[in-house]
């Protein structure tokens, strides 16, 4: 029997209507549009409504991905959701999306790997399809980071936004997913963390007082590790795909900071390569696990990504966690 591969068969995305501009943030904290643009590349971000949650955004992105892949919701076999802002601990966001979509045959679960959650979920789905155990999977990245953002802290609140992206993975006789590399380093847990609400710091008046339910980040240190780690992951994922960096058509890096994206791309191959970076951080900020599938889906929808294109995706986030993947657009 010939080897079975996994390939992306459809993409989808969703962002909430409400736009929060840098000018809006100037009225909330001591900051400026100029600082935010030059230090991060962000111009605006989307904010979910009070009654709009990660599962709602993930279901909307999932619905679009299924329609584009020609897969009916009732035929979906697995739903994997990368998120660090699940609606709740349980039921998982995957269960809520399963119900919203009417995917009555599907099982599913959430992947906790912060901003790398989507790539970890995609790798898990690819492995399940390559093994022949399942015939399709819906892989979602969905985040409501506005719910865990400390809106009084200018060093973090200017960075984050809400949204979702999704892909449908199917078996293929040609390799769509060409390589994967995943890693974690729990020794660097203190660079980027959200400690409140877990068993170590359960919700309490004290944990709320100490602002433990918000994202905390050592920005400058995280920046340096992000550039080095993403560069290495990009190189290794490309090598494992049997490709040289010049063979890559598009690079989709986690949208955390335009300066990180530029630094990694320039290191990989100078301005020629940097032009291949797909960027939407200017419009959405950092949407964590949603950022890669959101950027991919937009690039597919506007016709940039074409059949045969090789796409290098690289993630980095709290944990620390990281991942690199090369997929070929079948
Ligand atoms: N407006 C104005 N000034 C600000 C702001 C702001 N919003 N935020 C910080 N500053 C000030 C600081 O107070 C500091 O002032 P000082 O020099 O007087 O002390 C100065 O600007 C420079 O601060 P730095 O933190 O050194 O600024 P830097 O250039 O490093 O940018 C940033 C900060 C944007 C956070 C950057 O470090 C970064 O992007 N870090 C990495 C983010 C990342 O990759 N995260 C991982 C993924 S996210 C996830 O997993 C959820």
């Amino acid at each position: 029997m010939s080897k079975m591969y996994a390939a992306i068969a459809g993409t989808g995305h969703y962002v909430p209507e409400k736009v929060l501009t840098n000018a809006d943030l100037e009225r909330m904290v001591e900051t400026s549009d100029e600082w935010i643009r030059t230090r991060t590349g962000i111009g605006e971000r989307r904010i979910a409504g009070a009654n709009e949650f990660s599962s709602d955004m993930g279901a909307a992105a999932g619905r679009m991905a299924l329609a584009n892949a020609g897969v009916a919701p009732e035929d979906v076999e697995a739903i994997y959701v990368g998120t660090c802002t699940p609606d709740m601990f349980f039921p998982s966001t995957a269960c809520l999306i399963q119900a919203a979509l009417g995917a009555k045959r599907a099982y599913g679960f959430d992947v906790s790997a912060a901003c790398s959650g989507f790539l970890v979920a995609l790798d898990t789905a690819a492995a399940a399809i390559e093994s022949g155990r399942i015939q399709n999977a819906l892989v979602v990245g969905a985040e409501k980071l506005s719910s865990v953002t400390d809106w009084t802290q200018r060093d973090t609140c200017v960075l984050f936004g809400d949204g979702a992206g999704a892909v449908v993975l199917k078996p293929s006789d040609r390799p769509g997913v060409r390589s994967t590399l995943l890693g974690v380093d729990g020794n660097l847990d203190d660079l980027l963390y959200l400690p409140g609400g877990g068993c170590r710091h359960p919700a309490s008046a004290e944990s709320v007082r100490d602002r433990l339910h918000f994202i905390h980040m050592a920005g400058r240190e995280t920046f340096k590790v992000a550039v080095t780690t993403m560069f290495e992951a990009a190189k290794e994922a490309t090598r494992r795909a049997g490709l040289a960096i010049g063979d890559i058509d598009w690079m989709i890096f986690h949208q955390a900071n335009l300066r990180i994206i530029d630094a990694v791309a320039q290191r990989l191959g100078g301005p020629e390569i940097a032009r291949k970076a797909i960027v939407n951080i200017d419009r959405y900020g950092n949407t964590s696990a949603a950022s890669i599938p959101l950027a991919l889906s937009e690039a597919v929808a506007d016709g940039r990504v074409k059949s045969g294109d090789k796409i290098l995706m690289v993630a980095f986030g709290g944990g620390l966690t990281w991942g690199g993947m090369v997929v070929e657009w079948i």
Side-chain angles (χ1 to χ4, degrees), residues 29-32 35-36 39-40 84 114-115 145 154-156 158-160 192 215 217-224 226 254 256-257 259-260 286 288 316-318:
V29 289
E30 185 65 41
T31 190
S32 67
W35 191 96
I36 301 170
R39 304 312 290 166
T40 72
C84 60
C115 302
L145 291 183
R154 68 176 185 177
D155 55 342
T156 48
V158 302
L159 303 173
F160 303 118
L192 186 51
I215 298 173
M217 179 167 72
R220 212 172 300 183
E221 293 76 7
T222 307
F223 190 103
K224 286 184 208 145
H254 171 46
N257 188 318
R259 289 186 296 136
I260 296 178
N286 177 349
S288 189
F316 176 84

Side-chain angles (χ1 to χ4, degrees), residues 117-138:
F118 174 76
L119 286 193
V120 178
L122 188 59
D123 174 64
T124 306
I129 284 176
E130 286 162 5
S131 75
R133 200 160 294 169
I134 56 171
Q135 293 304 306
N136 66 54
L138 176 64

Side-chain angles (χ1 to χ4, degrees), residues 42-245:
I42 301 169
E44 58 186 43
R45 67 291 289 144
R46 300 298 178 100
I47 304 295
N51 291 312
E52 186 174 39
F53 307 109
S54 295
S55 65
D56 301 309
M57 294 186 276
R63 214 170 274 124
M64 177 176 165
L66 290 172
N68 284 333
V71 173
E74 55 271 25
D75 293 332
V76 174
E77 294 186 22
I79 301 174
Y80 304 141
V81 183
T83 184
C84 60
T85 47
D87 287 33
M88 51 191 122
F89 274 124
F90 63 87
S92 70
T93 314
C95 292
L96 303 176
I97 291 176
Q98 180 269 342
L101 293 176
K104 52 179 185 280
R105 285 179 59 211
Y107 82 104
F109 55 85
D110 291 2
V111 170
S112 168
C115 302
S116 309
F118 174 76
L119 286 193
V120 178
L122 188 59
D123 174 64
T124 306
I129 284 176
E130 286 162 5
S131 75
R133 200 160 294 169
I134 56 171
Q135 293 304 306
N136 66 54
L138 176 64
V139 184
V140 179
E143 302 280 14
K144 186 174 180 177
L145 291 183
S146 60
S147 68
V148 292
T149 297
D150 187 340
W151 292 104
T152 68
Q153 294 301 312
R154 68 176 185 177
D155 55 342
T156 48
C157 79
V158 302
L159 303 173
F160 303 118
D162 302 334
V167 305
V168 172
L169 218 56
K170 279 192 194 171
S172 162
D173 50 9
R174 284 171 47 213
V177 175
R178 291 189 53 153
S179 73
T180 306
L181 169 141
L182 299 172
V184 306
D185 186 354
N187 293 306
L188 296 175
D189 60 337
D190 55 348
L191 289 188
L192 186 51
Y193 57 97
L194 196 172
C199 66
R200 200 180 293 197
H201 303 287
S204 65
E206 290 72 36
S207 71
V208 171
R209 181 200 63 206
D210 296 340
R211 313 187 88 71
L212 299 183
H213 301 269
F214 294 129
I215 298 173
H216 297 261
M217 179 167 72
R220 212 172 300 183
E221 293 76 7
T222 307
F223 190 103
K224 286 184 208 145
V225 188
V227 172
T228 319
T229 309
M230 290 175 77
F231 170 67
E232 293 298 336
K235 259 196 340 191
E236 182 58 16
T238 306
R239 193 191 66 75
R240 288 187 189 183
L243 298 171
I245 200 70

